[in-house]
Structures are given as C-alpha cells and as structure tokens.
Amino acid sequence: MMTREDVTAMILSAKRQAGLTWEGIAASIGMSPVWTHSAAMGMNAMPAEKAVAMVDALGLPQEAALVLQESPTKVWQQAVPTDPCIYRLYEIVGVYGPTIKALIHEKFGDGIMSAIDFDMSVTRVAHPKGDRVKVEMSGKYLAYNAW
C-alpha cells in the first residue's frame, strides 16, 4: 500500500531527475507553486483532476493520484523548527504575530485570517542592499461568532 510519504519521495525524485521547478510543475497542473508544493509535501489534499495531472506530468504510478487526494493529517515533527529558513518564518510569527492579530482585529473586527481559503506567493524583489524575499499572503477573513 502506497503512503503519502512514498508519494512525496516519488514526486521529489521525479522533479529532481527531470530538472523541473515548482513553478513549472504548478503551471502543468494549473495551480500556484505554493499550493502545488504544499500538496506534494502532504499538507493539502488534491482534487482528483489535479492529482491525475500531477501523476501524469511526473510519470508516477496511477495509485499515487489516489494518495494525493486523501485528506492530510497536518503535523509538525518539532516544536521549534531547526531548518534556518523555516525557523526565520517561525520567528517572524513569534515576533509579529501579536501585531498582525491586533491589526486584523482593528481593521476587520474580532476574527481570524483563513488558512484554508488562502493564497500565498513568494517572489524575488531587487533591492540595492541585496535581493529581498517577498512573501504575500491573502486569507479570507472569518469573524468569530458570538454564541
């Protein structure tokens, strides 16, 4: 029986062997690079047609399409990430999380930004002091319901 971890390993191997990028794979299945990578890593379920497109694009076994459609269990292996890039994002949320929350509440009211109805992009921005990484997130506002 094929697991999510098996499929992720097959995707990464096929990507590496073919010299593909996440942008190229995403374009071939009609999705964003952020969503495509997240789904490939097992953090999102793929709709059937996107799973089949991914399997076809990478030459994976058809069973992999079924695994890509399964609802994920989103877990992290560590309390604090040790990968430097991921840790910096964790640090940003730790430092600016309360500020982001306060500004969301000030502008929208008591609620949250959805991470389900959500878009994100990562772009490179030229800057005289060194290129910048621009991470842009857009999530639907969800008001807390008063019971």
Side-chain angles (χ1 to χ4, degrees):
M1 186 167 139
M2 194 177 291
T3 67
R4 244 183 208 288
E5 292 78 15
D6 296 334
V7 174
T8 295
M10 286 188 279
I11 289 169
L12 293 173
S13 178
K15 176 188 174 289
R16 183 175 40 255
Q17 289 177 17
L20 299 172
T21 64
W22 289 112
E23 286 191 11
I25 295 168
S28 74
I29 68 168
M31 295 301 289
S32 75
V34 170
W35 184 88
T36 301
H37 181 273
S38 180
M41 297 300 105
M43 295 304 251
N44 288 299
M46 288 188 159
E49 69 276 5
K50 301 303 180 184
V52 169
M54 173 78 90
V55 163
D56 291 346
L58 297 176
L60 303 178
Q62 290 302 307
E63 182 184 357
L66 297 174
V67 175
L68 289 168
Q69 294 171 62
E70 295 174 356
S71 294
T73 301
K74 298 180 183 190
V75 296
W76 290 267
Q77 299 300 318
Q78 304 160 306
V80 176
T82 56
D83 177 277
C85 186
I86 296 170
Y87 175 78
R88 287 294 177 244
L89 295 170
Y90 182 85
E91 180 182 33
I92 290 166
V93 172
V95 172
Y96 294 103
T99 299
I100 294 167
K101 177 183 177 183
L103 293 172
I104 289 171
H105 286 212
E106 187 174 283
K107 293 176 185 291
F108 294 90
D110 195 18
I112 62 171
M113 177 180 74
S114 175
I116 296 170
D117 188 349
F118 179 83
D119 297 311
M120 181 168 52
S121 64
V122 178
T123 55
R124 185 178 192 145
V125 179
H127 191 279
K129 293 183 180 179
D131 288 356
R132 305 290 189 194
V133 177
K134 181 178 179 181
V135 178
E136 188 171 37
M137 298 182 284
S138 173
K140 179 181 179 182
Y141 172 71
L142 302 172
Y144 290 132
N145 293 324
W147 302 105

